[in-house]
Amino acid sequence: MISLRHGAGPLVGVVVLSSLAACGSNPNSGRPKQSAAATPETGRSGAFRGKTEIRYPGGVVRIRSVSCAVEKGKIVGLNAPDTDDETTPTPPSFTAADLGENSTATLHVAAGSYVKAGAAGITSARRNGVWTMTLSGTELGSVSTQSDPITVNGTITCGRTITMG
């Protein structure tokens, strides 16, 4: 992950997102446990549950494959598409972590890559048994020096949820 601000916050997001990618679904393996209510639904198509809709000045990102790591009542790692879903082409892709003032987000679209480290506008909560992350006026800086920052808004619903601790 590329960071626009120095500090430990973005590193925490990278560690959590990396942990999410390595998580198994076997609760006895010593790894974090997947939520039984949000086990991925896969078939021959490889379609995972979840929904991403992020609006930005260049368009809308829609991804129907989302995995999340949850700890202490927040989504501390989110991957869209789900790290286990090999059927979803990238870009686009989105990763994020709700870490309060150290929240992070990275958006990759055909036009470029954008990142945010350490600011407001990213929240997460569990509603009706489903984990959701909300982006509200979240400004992401361009990784390229030739592009201006973009502001994103949207909602991401987790399909596969892994509980950390």
Side-chain angles (χ1 to χ4, degrees):
M1 176 180 287
I2 299 170
S3 174
L4 296 179
R5 189 180 92 177
H6 298 290
L11 180 58
V12 172
V14 171
V15 171
V16 170
L17 292 172
S18 297
S19 296
L20 179 58
C23 288
S25 61
N26 182 352
N28 298 323
S29 67
R31 296 182 189 169
K33 297 178 183 178
Q34 280 190 3
S35 169
T39 303
E41 288 186 13
T42 60
R44 290 191 177 268
S45 68
F48 287 75
R49 293 186 316 184
K51 180 180 178 183
T52 303
E53 184 166 317
I54 301 171
R55 294 168 306 285
Y56 68 103
V60 178
V61 171
R62 289 185 178 97
I63 303 169
R64 299 212 180 275
S65 169
V66 183
S67 59
C68 299
V70 176
E71 183 174 43
K72 297 180 184 176
K74 291 185 178 187
I75 298 172
V76 296
L78 180 143
N79 288 302
D82 186 303
T83 54
D84 286 346
D85 186 357
E86 297 173 2
T87 65
T88 304
T90 56
S93 67
F94 181 74
T95 60
D98 177 6
L99 304 170
E101 60 185 51
N102 292 319
S103 293
T104 63
T106 303
L107 175 66
H108 299 285
V109 292
S113 296
Y114 300 87
V115 67
K116 174 185 180 146
I122 299 173
T123 58
S124 61
R126 186 174 183 187
R127 294 182 189 100
N128 298 322
V130 178
W131 282 97
T132 303
M133 180 175 280
T134 303
L135 308 173
S136 180
T138 305
E139 185 176 294
L140 302 177
S142 174
V143 174
S144 166
T145 57
Q146 299 173 359
S147 298
D148 291 330
I150 61 171
T151 299
V152 297
N153 293 286
T155 303
I156 301 101
T157 304
C158 300
R160 179 170 61 119
T161 304
I162 299 166
T163 302
M164 310 290 287

